Amino acid sequence: MFFTKLKRVSRAGFVNFWRNSYVSVASVLVMTITLFVIGLLLFVGVVLNASLAELKDKVDINVYFLRSAAETDILAVKSGVEALPEVEKTEYISREQALAEFRERHKDDQLTIQALDELGENPLGAVINIKAREVSQYEGIAKFLESKNALSPGGTQIVDRINYAQNKLAIERLTRIIDAARTLGLTVIIIFGLISILITFNTIRLIVFMSREEISVMRLVGASSMYIRGPFVVEGFMYGVISGIVTLLIFWPLTSWLGPVTENFFSGVNVASYYWHNFFQILLIIMGSGIGLGVVSSYLAVRRYLKI
């Protein structure tokens, strides 16, 4: 009995959808625009996150030690830093390695190399490169290094300087920009979602008005409220499904065209590859959003304007 009613309700919804083709097409177009914006912001978020991740990978803390610092004391500090849960990885660069890298960087600068040779000794101290798991954790690591934990066993200061302040300022500024972009994106999604609901809501209201005689007959023969409301909910479901399919079809050539562009300019992220590798996830987001918008707006329209 239940499946029979469901079949009848679904059939009525399909018939109403094709019978009111003009309002159906208008509703599908508006919802497609909303879903396109949702998908577009999804791709923008991927590109922004990749750019931020690349920048985070380049940002670190370099701890420069005094030339007089013993290697055993430096390695002890390195072990203490590695024990911190905030630290992802560290790299120790000895004085000799630092000098070799310095010579390699300035191999074309004869004046610098000549001055270094005339100096007769290694002017560079050892360095520990530290990468944190999160940007916000660099401050705690810097405080740890500035405390007594960075002293030698004899209580002597062995850290010359820490290049934390400059990197912190740059990464925090970029993080604020990314957060603002995400907030803006969420706001746009909400606005377009509300617009789509309102337009679909009014579209269903129009369909209800056009079907008022049929509804009166259904009431007279004792049809239940759910049986009357069901076809309109099915129509909303169809709006969402068709809009989702159209949106996915639009993204197919668009991402293929933009893929090489984003790969060259945004941290090697190819939106075409991302689209196909995460197609089912994107499908669920687009189709789920479309069906949700269609069903909810249809249900609300019937509930508000159908006096059942």
Side-chain angles (χ1 to χ4, degrees), residues 73-262:
D73 296 341
I74 297 174
L75 293 177
V77 173
K78 179 176 180 289
S79 299
V81 170
E82 289 175 336
L84 297 175
E86 300 91 345
V87 175
E88 182 177 5
K89 64 179 180 179
T90 63
E91 180 186 6
Y92 170 64
I93 302 174
S94 66
R95 295 186 61 199
E96 292 74 17
Q97 184 180 349
L99 180 61
E101 292 179 357
F102 182 86
R103 285 183 176 275
E104 179 64 25
R105 287 196 304 269
H106 297 85
K107 62 182 179 180
D108 297 326
D109 187 350
Q110 295 300 323
L111 291 178
T112 301
I113 297 298
Q114 183 179 357
L116 186 63
D117 292 336
E118 290 178 356
L119 193 60
E121 61 178 351
N122 185 357
L124 302 177
V127 181
I128 294 180
N129 177 274
I130 304 172
K131 289 187 179 295
R133 300 184 186 278
E134 298 294 337
V135 176
S136 58
Q137 296 172 334
Y138 279 116
E139 184 174 0
I141 297 173
K143 289 182 178 179
F144 173 86
L145 292 167
E146 292 169 353
S147 67
K148 62 181 180 180
N149 297 288
L151 298 177
S152 68
T156 305
Q157 179 64 256
I158 59 176
V159 173
D160 183 16
R161 61 187 176 89
I162 305 171
N163 67 337
Y164 163 67
Q166 312 93 302
N167 295 341
K168 176 188 175 184
L169 182 61
I171 196 65
E172 284 185 348
R173 284 179 177 175
L174 184 62
T175 302
R176 285 195 294 268
I177 293 174
I178 298 297
D179 290 341
R182 288 173 179 167
T183 302
L184 178 62
L186 180 61
T187 303
V188 171
I189 289 176
I190 293 174
I191 291 174
F192 273 88
L194 290 175
I195 291 174
S196 180
I197 289 176
L198 289 174
I199 294 179
T200 309
F201 183 88
N202 286 303
T203 301
I204 298 297
R205 180 187 177 188
L206 177 62
I207 295 174
V208 171
F209 178 78
M210 294 166 58
S211 306
R212 63 190 183 279
E213 294 183 359
E214 295 179 24
I215 294 172
S216 298
V217 173
M218 293 173 70
R219 282 174 171 167
L220 289 175
V221 298
S224 64
S225 299
M226 186 57 85
Y227 190 83
I228 298 173
R229 182 183 288 116
F232 301 103
V233 175
V234 171
E235 285 185 71
F237 179 87
M238 291 185 65
Y239 295 154
V241 170
I242 295 176
S243 300
I245 293 173
V246 172
T247 303
L248 291 171
L249 290 176
I250 292 173
F251 276 122
W252 180 8
L254 183 62
T255 54
S256 298
W257 176 60
L258 290 176
V261 178
T262 58

Side-chain angles (χ1 to χ4, degrees), residues 31 35 197 236-237 240-241 285-299:
M31 195 174 294
L35 297 180
I197 289 176
F237 179 87
V241 170
I285 294 174
I286 297 296
M287 297 295 288
S289 299
I291 293 172
L293 285 172
V295 170
V296 170
S297 58
S298 300
Y299 184 87

